[in-house]
Amino acid sequence: MSVKKQQSEQWMRRALRLARKGEGWVSPNPMVGALLVKKNKLVASGYHHQLGDHHAEIHVLKKAGNRARGGHLFVTLEPCCHYGRTPPCTDAITRSGVAAVTVAMRDPNRRVAGKGITRLRKAGIKVQWGVLEREAQQLNEKYIKFITKKMPWVTLKAAITLDGYIAAATGKQRWISSPESREDAHQLRAQHDAILVGMGTVLKDNPQLSCRLSGRGVKPRQPIKVVLDSKLRTPLQARLLKQGKTLLFTGKGVSLRKREQLLKRGVGVESLPTRSGHIDIIALLKRLTTLEIASVLVEGGAQVYTQFLQQRCVDKVVLYVAPTLLGNGGKKKNIHVFKELGIESLEDAFTLKELSVIRCGADLCIEGYPKY
């Protein structure tokens, strides 16, 4: 590897770390980090802080001021060239006098999609792209799917025993996972626009579905709570209704009185098509797209996991595996995480690719992408 390429990758890696600071706050926009360098020394750095705020490039150029002239800008995503929530970054870059721009990846948004790079080159700026492109794509995998497929990114998250159970039949065991896993799971919540559960989880666990991070020094972002409630059985006293935004998706013929009571409390209630008595997952995801919900964390229960997997709607799986054996139970059966899939042969099994395994306290956290 040449010295020049090595230096470019070092600067871009720093920009990618900066971009990650905007995770959860900028959606449905992408996370972007940027650095301005002169004579291989850092002049200014910045990232996209939150939706509607200045883009990373603008933060950097404002900090650099006149020092930007003749400098080299490193940015993790192709600068925008259109008016959206903010003016085009390409115009600001051109006015700044920056001599060169290195981009990690092109923006898949068809309003940009190479046009930003072309505009900078036409302005006489030297542009290179593709430095740490794969890393940049992984950083913004949620955004890429949302902008290209017009559907939210879906992460399936579950805490399970070594033999795959998510709950005992008695329901007395509250936590399967370790405190470290639960803390990590709350971080996962902060990284998504919405948390989704089925009616069984609401009735059995009465969850808050809030994001609670300890020792971070900042108030975490609270994702929207989404409940699949085809018969509108969510209790008016449910904890998830007490704070934050909640959306209940129901079928037809539900109680109008119950609907009105929920609406008066500020709860969103919408009807969607059903399949075999359950909310149609594709119709649900299309509706969430129109609400600019770019990512969804599916947290249970077993029936909901099955629906999403059977519809090939899961993009990533995160399993917190506790060093516990529960077994099938006695007369009352314990609840297996994927009991409803009904797969009878290895040929039909779901396989995870790009697997990673890390320790979370006493547990293992296994992440992977379904190979459909």
Side-chain angles (χ1 to χ4, degrees):
M1 182 186 296
S2 67
V3 174
K4 188 174 181 181
K5 183 178 180 182
Q6 187 176 23
Q7 289 173 343
S8 289
E9 289 189 355
Q10 287 173 348
W11 289 120
M12 191 61 76
R13 198 163 277 113
R14 288 181 65 172
L16 287 165
R17 287 198 296 268
L18 272 174
R20 180 72 71 178
K21 291 185 175 183
E23 189 162 33
W25 294 99
V26 301
S27 182
N29 278 2
M31 292 175 276
V32 183
L35 304 169
L36 187 71
V37 176
K38 256 186 175 180
K39 296 180 180 179
N40 206 36
K41 291 184 178 180
L42 180 66
V43 175
S45 63
Y47 67 96
H48 187 26
H49 290 238
Q50 60 186 13
L51 190 66
D53 187 23
H54 292 308
H55 289 185
E57 303 95 313
I58 305 304
H59 280 296
V60 169
L61 295 176
K62 283 181 175 290
K63 288 180 183 178
N66 292 332
R67 294 176 297 164
R69 188 162 297 278
H72 190 150
L73 182 68
F74 289 84
V75 60
T76 59
L77 184 72
E78 177 182 7
C80 66
C81 55
H82 63 281
Y83 281 90
R85 290 182 173 90
T86 59
C89 289
T90 50
D91 293 357
I93 294 169
T94 301
R95 290 194 302 268
S96 73
V98 163
V101 176
T102 295
V103 175
M105 62 170 283
R106 295 202 297 182
D107 192 336
N109 187 337
R110 60 184 181 184
R111 298 178 72 185
V112 187
K115 300 182 184 73
I117 290 172
T118 298
R119 185 172 294 188
L120 291 174
R121 285 174 173 163
K122 285 183 177 179
I125 298 172
K126 183 180 178 181
V127 181
Q128 177 190 11
W129 73 276
V131 175
L132 300 187
E133 180 181 17
R134 177 59 181 153
E135 289 87 340
Q137 290 171 340
Q138 288 177 325
L139 174 73
N140 276 310
E141 57 190 7
K142 299 183 186 76
Y143 165 75
I144 292 171
K145 183 194 176 184
F146 184 71
I147 207 71
T148 58
K149 305 294 186 183
K150 308 301 181 187
M151 292 283 268
W153 175 273
V154 175
T155 302
L156 186 156
K157 184 227 94 178
I160 64 174
T161 63
L162 271 175
D163 46 355
Y165 290 92
I166 56 175
T170 61
K172 291 180 180 179
Q173 182 180 348
R174 181 167 175 78
W175 301 114
I176 286 177
S177 56
S178 67
E180 292 84 355
S181 290
R182 297 198 296 273
E183 177 75 7
D184 193 70
H186 279 284
Q187 183 62 40
L188 200 60
R189 285 182 175 182
Q191 295 166 1
H192 289 76
D193 295 340
I195 309 170
L196 183 147
V197 296
M199 196 62 245
T201 298
V202 173
L203 294 177
K204 183 178 180 181
D205 299 338
N206 193 20
Q208 294 183 57
L209 296 186
S210 60
C211 179
R212 304 181 296 280
L213 294 171
S214 60
R216 300 298 173 113
V218 293
K219 189 176 181 179
R221 170 179 177 266
Q222 295 297 330
I224 295 170
K225 292 168 278 191
V226 176
V227 180
L228 304 186
D229 185 2
S230 60
K231 297 180 181 178
L232 204 56
R233 293 184 293 159
T234 299
L236 296 174
Q237 297 77 28
R239 294 201 298 170
L240 61 85
L241 302 181
K242 293 182 178 179
Q243 60 179 352
K245 186 175 182 180
T246 304
L247 296 175
L248 304 181
F249 288 97
T250 74
K252 295 180 179 180
V254 298
S255 167
L256 294 178
R257 182 172 178 271
K258 180 77 171 288
R259 177 191 285 266
E260 287 301 316
Q261 289 175 319
L262 289 163
L263 291 173
K264 285 180 180 178
R265 295 183 179 213
V267 180
V269 182
E270 294 190 27
S271 296
L272 285 177
T274 57
R275 296 177 60 177
S276 303
H278 304 297
I279 300 298
D280 186 286
I281 297 303
I282 301 298
L284 168 75
L285 293 176
K286 287 181 178 178
R287 175 56 183 146
L288 295 182
T289 299
T290 66
L291 297 173
E292 290 198 318
I293 293 175
S295 59
V296 181
L297 181 65
V298 177
E299 291 204 0
Q303 194 173 73
V304 174
Y305 293 148
T306 297
Q307 288 176 263
F308 274 86
L309 281 169
Q310 287 179 337
Q311 292 292 310
R312 304 292 198 268
C313 289
V314 176
D315 297 292
K316 189 174 185 177
V317 174
V318 178
L319 298 176
Y320 296 98
V321 185
T324 306
L325 295 170
L326 191 56
N328 197 29
K331 291 182 179 180
K332 290 185 177 181
K333 300 301 182 183
N334 297 325
I335 301 172
H336 197 277
V337 61
F338 300 124
K339 66 173 184 176
E340 304 287 348
L341 277 178
I343 295 173
E344 297 180 349
S345 68
L346 285 173
E347 288 76 14
D348 298 326
F350 290 96
T351 303
L352 299 183
K353 59 183 180 179
E354 298 178 46
L355 210 64
S356 68
V357 182
I358 61 170
R359 289 292 296 270
C360 273
D363 305 337
L364 294 179
C365 177
I366 301 175
E367 298 185 2
Y369 301 85
K371 184 179 180 181
Y372 294 125

